[in-house]
Amino acid sequence: MDEIKDKQAVQQVIDRSLSGIQDDSWMAQRVLNMAHQTQEGGKMVVKKKISTGFALMMAVVLLGATALAATLLWQDAGEKLAPMESENGYYDTWNTEAKIELVRTLYDLGEMKDNSDAEKVLNSTDMTDADKNALCDSIMSAYVKGSPDTVTLLSLLEKLHGDMSTWSMEDKIWYNQLLAANGMLTTEDTNYVLPQAEQITQEQAIDAARSFLLGMGGENLKNAQIEATMYEETDDCFYGETQVSQKGRCVWSVIFHQENETYQVDIGTDSNIIGYSLPELSALFVRGTLPDDTAIPETEAMTIGTKALSSQDELSNVKAFFGFIDLADEAAAHAKLGKRVWVIITEQHYALVSSAGDVLFVGDCD
Amino acid sequence: MRVAKDPGNDRDQVLVQMVNQYQGLLLRMCYIQLHDMELAKDAVQETFLKAYKKLDSFRGECSEKNWLIQIGMNTCRDMQRSAWFRHHDRRITPEDLPLAISPPENDGDLDVMCDVMQLPPKLREVILLYYWQNMNVNEIAQALGITHSTVSFRLKSARKKLHDVLERRLGYGRNQR
């Protein structure tokens, strides 16, 4: 094989085939806006020194009123903005009149107080339609700290109420209802629900998830940011031999974000574990689940797997997980979507062992 | 060009220069990895954001380009692991590719492109870096955070598959253009 010619061929094919990919002219500005926003979030601005006791007292008094006002503000905004997106599509395709209406809505909500550009676009009688359109884009881009194509109902609500991952269950359900009421709820949107009286609570789901992960030899995740939501599955979905969703089933999804790692446990409403995700399994595109009756026992899988790995590794810290392939590589017999496997894993290598006990694959963990 | 360690540049200016210089490369790389232009733009934006935050810790042990490629590859891997990504069909056909500005000289070009994009992710990564970006084994090992021997092993597998693709689609090797 002539490596130099292969290189030239690949370079020419990629450069020619993808010559239509255009740079995004807003990229640098958007990244800078996001970076500065993050930095501002980390700073503490102190205008005036007051005593801790006074501050605490004021906080207690103001907390209720502020929370109520904030709730009304962002949900009011949502009620006004959703029909606009429903009727006109995404912001960047709107006509000038609709864009001005959006600026007016936010201005009336007090979000653009003292914004001279907003006042200009709302009150001017001598600007052209094109100038007003461009000024609206500039105002909205600055508001969401992005480009016009990032102005959406969700980005505006997140601007008003924080990142969606930090919303309460009730907030997410309200958002779903808002989408449904405006004909924008799709089958890809998660159908958030609240637990019924006989179902486990959010706190119980988090405890169950934490205990399960500890039992799997994981960390206690005490400093993790937790996102726990219940949703109802909307269809029956199968990956080959594995059913991954069941229409009408309610599931608690408990996600722990710790440093750069994500751990997830899906729990049924009676505390049964449906599935889980650990960084070491995700890296192998395997989703954890509990072994069924047709799978060989863990001890047997461990024996088969360690034997397969013995030529590769010193075999320290060997762990066994059961799961299914959730990112197919159809060219590889061991990686068919939904295939149920035991994963026998060390720090360096892993072996995939089928439910019946056949060694399917031995590879490195990189 | 090395911009990240230039003390005369402030951080914002460095970022703008990096975006101007490497956005095109990263967009193509992320598109090949993710098969979706909108996801690729998200990945590139995330890559530059991470780079901006890590500018102070960039020690210049590799070139700035390789550093950005490393961040970009890791960002794509993270996105490939997300539930949303995994639940969508990522197969790609020549019709799905962005319309080329330079028309392919050979009908097989787009087929080769699709075949490369359909290769297993680990092989695709080394092909992109070795054949397209001309990186050596050490640089690839650094960019992907894997050992030198793992890169060599993957290159061995990738080399054979790639040559088969070129031969099948372009008649390459038998009837070179």
Side-chain angles (χ1 to χ4, degrees):
Chain A
M1 293 177 211
D2 188 337
E3 195 121 303
I4 295 172
K5 284 184 178 151
D6 280 357
K7 276 191 180 183
Q8 285 171 345
V10 170
Q11 286 163 5
Q12 285 172 2
V13 162
I14 293 180
D15 291 341
R16 281 199 297 252
S17 302
L18 301 185
S19 60
I21 292 180
Q22 304 281 315
D23 281 4
D24 176 351
S25 52
W26 289 87
M27 179 70 74
Q29 191 55 50
R30 211 163 44 230
V31 174
L32 285 175
N33 285 340
M34 290 169 74
H36 293 166
Q37 194 175 21
T38 313
Q39 285 174 336
E40 283 162 18
K43 282 182 187 169
M44 183 178 283
V45 180
V46 181
K47 286 186 177 174
K48 197 174 179 181
K49 283 187 179 174
I50 54 174
S51 75
T52 310
F54 180 70
L56 275 175
M57 184 190 77
M58 287 303 291
V60 171
V61 171
L62 292 174
L63 197 60
T66 309
L68 181 63
T71 302
L72 290 176
L73 178 70
W74 83 280
Q75 294 198 339
D76 274 358
E79 304 284 357
K80 287 180 181 167
L81 299 172
M84 298 172 78
E85 188 164 293
S86 173
E87 285 163 24
N88 302 308
Y90 288 117
Y91 169 86
D92 57 343
T93 64
W94 293 7
N95 61 28
T96 307
E97 195 184 342
K99 288 181 178 179
I100 293 174
E101 188 54 33
L102 174 61
V103 173
R104 189 185 309 284
T105 301
L106 292 169
Y107 186 85
D108 290 346
L109 287 165
E111 280 293 291
M112 295 198 170
K113 205 176 169 187
D114 300 329
N115 183 322
S116 58
D117 283 342
E119 284 164 1
K120 186 176 172 190
V121 84
L122 293 176
N123 301 322
S124 170
T125 52
D126 55 359
M127 284 177 76
T128 64
D129 190 76
D131 286 346
K132 284 184 178 177
N133 196 310
L135 189 54
C136 284
D137 283 355
S138 166
I139 293 166
M140 292 311 303
S141 298
Y143 181 68
V144 299
K145 297 193 187 321
S147 50
D149 62 358
T150 62
V151 179
T152 63
L153 173 64
L154 183 58
S155 72
L156 292 169
L157 291 178
E158 288 190 320
K159 173 75 183 159
L160 292 163
H161 196 53
D163 189 274
M164 195 185 194
S165 64
T166 65
W167 294 7
S168 68
M169 288 276 294
E170 287 78 6
D171 291 343
K172 289 176 179 173
I173 290 170
W174 169 84
Y175 177 67
N176 267 17
Q177 288 168 345
L178 181 70
L179 293 181
N182 288 278
M184 296 193 290
L185 189 68
T186 70
T187 52
E188 292 197 357
D189 288 301
T190 307
N191 184 23
Y192 296 106
V193 291
L194 285 173
Q196 303 297 307
E198 71 280 9
Q199 296 171 335
I200 59 169
T201 63
Q202 187 181 49
E203 202 170 291
Q204 288 169 325
I206 293 170
D207 286 345
R210 199 189 292 276
S211 302
F212 176 76
L213 290 173
L214 270 174
M216 299 298 288
E219 302 171 47
N220 67 12
L221 302 168
K222 63 181 178 185
N223 296 321
Q225 183 199 331
I226 302 171
E227 187 182 350
T229 45
M230 182 189 262
Y231 62 91
E232 184 180 328
E233 293 177 330
T234 53
D235 59 358
D236 289 314
C237 178
F238 287 84
Y239 284 1
E241 59 191 284
T242 303
Q243 182 165 14
V244 292
S245 73
Q246 188 180 319
K247 190 171 183 178
R249 179 171 67 177
C250 289
V251 178
W252 274 107
S253 163
V254 185
I255 303 174
F256 298 85
H257 302 280
Q258 180 152 291
E259 293 169 357
N260 293 324
E261 305 282 23
T262 299
Y263 302 76
Q264 181 177 351
V265 184
D266 290 338
I267 302 173
T269 50
D270 55 357
S271 294
N272 58 314
I273 301 296
I274 294 173
Y276 63 95
S277 170
L278 305 175
E280 58 258 60
L281 285 184
S282 300
L284 305 176
F285 304 113
V286 172
R287 180 155 177 79
T289 185
L290 298 185
D292 53 29
D293 295 341
T294 62
I296 57 169
E298 181 177 336
T299 46
E300 193 179 338
M302 189 71 117
T303 306
I304 295 168
T306 48
K307 189 177 170 192
L309 290 172
S310 57
S311 61
Q312 311 267 338
D313 217 316
E314 294 174 4
L315 295 182
S316 59
N317 197 17
V318 188
K319 294 179 186 172
F321 300 102
F322 189 77
F324 61 88
I325 304 292
D326 74 346
L327 182 72
D329 176 359
E330 295 302 335
H334 68 274
K336 301 291 181 201
L337 194 63
K339 188 163 190 65
R340 296 166 82 78
V341 290
W342 280 102
V343 182
I344 311 301
I345 188 167
T346 67
E347 286 173 7
Q348 299 288 328
H349 298 93
Y350 70 101
L352 296 182
V353 177
S354 75
S355 290
D358 301 316
V359 177
L360 301 172
F361 187 75
V362 176
D364 61 66
C365 295
D366 288 323
Chain B
M1 188 171 104
R2 295 284 281 270
V3 290
K5 297 301 281 183
D6 181 350
N9 281 327
D10 74 4
R11 294 165 62 84
D12 290 6
Q13 208 180 337
V14 170
L15 179 89
V16 172
Q17 284 180 35
M18 287 198 301
V19 172
N20 289 340
Q21 195 169 355
Y22 299 116
Q23 182 186 173
L25 160 69
L26 291 174
L27 268 175
R28 284 163 181 76
M29 188 189 81
C30 294
Y31 175 73
I32 292 170
Q33 292 293 81
L34 300 170
H35 301 188
D36 181 304
M37 189 43 72
E38 291 309 311
L39 285 181
K41 284 183 184 172
D42 287 349
V44 174
Q45 179 176 299
E46 184 67 21
T47 299
F48 282 122
L49 187 61
K50 285 176 183 169
Y52 182 86
K53 289 176 180 171
K54 291 178 178 174
L55 266 183
D56 295 334
S57 60
F58 176 63
R59 296 187 299 272
E61 289 167 349
C62 59
S63 73
E64 188 175 69
K65 177 177 139 187
N66 290 359
W67 181 59
L68 286 170
I69 285 176
Q70 180 182 5
I71 299 173
M73 280 287 187
N74 284 332
T75 303
C76 289
R77 285 173 172 184
D78 288 345
M79 292 176 82
Q80 285 166 331
R81 286 170 193 156
S82 74
W84 187 88
F85 185 90
R86 293 191 307 252
H87 292 182
H88 281 70
D89 187 351
R90 296 282 158 205
R91 277 170 290 194
I92 197 150
T93 65
E95 292 74 37
D96 298 323
L97 295 172
L99 201 59
I101 288 174
S102 326
E105 288 175 8
N106 184 318
D107 288 343
D109 275 7
L110 298 181
D111 293 324
V112 173
M113 191 68 248
C114 291
D115 285 350
V116 169
M117 290 173 74
Q118 308 284 25
L119 287 172
K122 289 178 180 180
L123 299 190
R124 197 168 60 219
E125 286 174 351
V126 293
I127 284 181
L128 284 183
L129 301 184
Y130 184 78
Y131 287 90
W132 182 42
Q133 285 306 308
N134 243 334
M135 288 165 72
N136 63 36
V137 173
N138 285 333
E139 288 171 326
I140 297 172
Q142 194 174 33
L144 298 179
I146 55 180
T147 61
H148 187 284
S149 60
T150 305
V151 175
S152 301
F153 178 76
R154 286 186 194 169
L155 262 180
K156 195 174 161 189
S157 312
R159 191 172 281 136
K160 173 78 175 72
K161 280 186 188 290
L162 179 68
H163 198 77
D164 289 347
V165 166
L166 293 174
E167 200 166 71
R168 190 173 69 248
R169 297 296 193 184
L170 303 179
Y172 181 82
R174 291 192 301 263
N175 179 23
Q176 289 173 15
R177 291 171 295 160

